[in-house]
Amino acid sequence: MKQVITQHGWGLDQSFWDNYKIEFQKNGWHWQDNERGYFSKNINQSKWIQNNMNNQIKMILCHSLGFHLIQENLLDEASHVVFINSFNNFLPSSKKRNLIYRSLKRMEKKIMLFEAEVMLKEFIRRSFLPNNMSINFQTMFYKNLENLNNNLLLSDLKKLYTDKNSLKSFEKNCNVIIINSKNDLILDQDSSDDFIELLKKTLTKKPTLIELDNQGHCLTNLNFYQIIKRTLDNKYEK
């Protein structure tokens, strides 16, 4: 049995995965989305389907802050974890740290002044650059803005500038795939590199790194299923 559980990042919801899941489901994967609840009171925390089948794949997809939002009990059972433009510490240790911190504090102020809608539109637009949002995602996202949970947005935003001294617990023997975008305007490269180095030091198995050209913090216009399938095929051929 092949399962996927997803966790979207800050300022998004489970509709972020709609274009990803189609090919997986066509090819027999069971797909579940966690929902944080930034745009409604509806939240969802998925659970693995338990069975006695051999050669199971239990794959988690985390985007950005999603690694820090997903339940540790899911990570503990995962056979595969895919990190998409993820991080341990969002703030880099380089001289750019203060600049990025001030940007986060400005975003925080916008939420506190109930001006989050305009700020989120700009944040998501930059997240997709150098590409445009798909029409379907844009329509859903703008509709969702009508029901913002400002308190949750604010509390999770603060996670971005909270330093973490250790890696969140998960099965150290699992297969880790790191997907990084070369044109990411949201996550600093130093933060991404630090995360990769931390994973290499912590994991039993060497992680697989995939770097994507012409992609921003949010991926679009690509067949994500084929990327994962090729990676799994290469793993099992060795």
Side-chain angles (χ1 to χ4, degrees):
M1 184 176 187
K2 296 177 289 188
Q3 303 182 55
V4 171
I5 292 178
T6 71
Q7 181 61 64
H8 63 80
W10 186 84
L12 295 162
D13 72 349
Q14 64 183 42
S15 66
F16 173 76
W17 305 102
D18 285 354
N19 290 332
Y20 292 62
K21 69 176 67 173
I22 296 171
E23 287 299 315
F24 281 84
Q25 292 173 326
K26 282 182 181 178
N27 286 277
W29 289 68
H30 186 275
W31 185 289
Q32 300 180 75
D33 294 316
N34 277 359
E35 172 56 59
R36 184 66 171 167
Y38 295 130
F39 303 102
S40 71
K41 294 181 180 179
N42 297 322
I43 63 172
N44 183 58
Q45 294 190 337
S46 305
K47 296 180 179 179
W48 296 116
I49 298 172
Q50 302 298 331
N51 59 69
N52 296 320
M53 297 175 65
N54 295 323
N55 300 320
Q56 291 188 69
I57 293 180
K58 293 181 177 180
M59 179 177 289
I60 287 177
L61 304 184
C62 292
H63 175 248
S64 193
L65 182 65
F67 174 46
H68 300 286
L69 302 178
I70 197 163
Q71 309 99 289
E72 289 192 6
N73 65 302
L74 293 179
L75 289 168
D76 287 340
E77 290 189 43
S79 63
H80 296 72
V81 179
V82 181
F83 294 115
I84 305 169
N85 295 320
S86 300
F87 51 86
N88 199 48
N89 286 305
F90 183 76
L91 292 178
S93 55
S94 66
K95 60 184 179 181
K96 292 175 282 187
R97 178 185 178 89
N98 288 337
L99 177 64
I100 296 172
Y101 175 75
R102 289 196 296 270
S103 296
L104 292 175
K105 295 301 286 186
R106 285 195 294 271
M107 293 169 68
E108 181 179 307
K109 186 175 181 180
K110 291 286 187 182
I111 298 173
M112 294 173 68
L113 294 174
F114 297 97
E115 298 173 1
E117 183 174 330
V118 174
M119 179 269 292
L120 271 176
K121 285 182 180 179
E122 176 59 20
F123 171 76
I124 298 301
R125 185 190 71 82
R126 283 179 55 80
S127 295
F128 277 93
L129 290 176
N131 300 304
N132 295 320
M133 286 184 277
S134 70
I135 296 300
N136 289 341
F137 179 86
Q138 186 178 59
T139 300
M140 183 66 69
F141 176 68
Y142 283 6
K143 182 179 179 180
N144 287 342
L145 288 173
E146 298 172 2
N147 301 293
L148 283 179
N149 185 333
N150 284 278
N151 290 334
L152 185 58
L153 277 170
L154 183 59
S155 64
D156 279 359
L157 180 68
K158 293 179 179 179
K159 297 182 192 318
L160 295 173
Y161 57 81
T162 301
D163 284 335
K164 300 165 183 68
N165 296 321
S166 60
L167 191 66
K168 186 174 182 177
S169 174
F170 65 103
E171 173 53 56
K172 301 304 185 294
N173 197 43
C174 74
N175 300 281
V176 169
I177 301 169
I178 304 165
I179 298 180
N180 284 347
S181 299
K182 290 187 176 181
N183 300 94
D184 196 329
L185 297 179
I186 303 300
L187 179 62
D188 186 78
Q189 186 63 50
D190 288 338
S191 297
S192 177
D193 291 344
D194 288 345
F195 184 49
I196 293 171
E197 289 305 310
L198 183 59
L199 287 170
K200 287 179 178 178
K201 292 176 182 177
T202 307
L203 297 171
T204 303
K205 300 178 181 177
K206 183 180 178 181
T208 300
L209 175 62
I210 300 171
E211 295 185 310
L212 300 177
D213 293 317
N214 303 313
Q215 290 292 331
H217 193 62
C218 292
L219 310 181
T220 188
N221 302 326
L222 82 172
N223 190 323
F224 191 75
Y225 171 76
Q226 287 299 329
I227 292 173
I228 297 300
K229 183 178 185 300
R230 285 196 300 268
T231 304
L232 294 181
D233 288 347
N234 289 337
K235 282 278 188 184
Y236 293 132
E237 285 173 3
K238 294 178 180 178

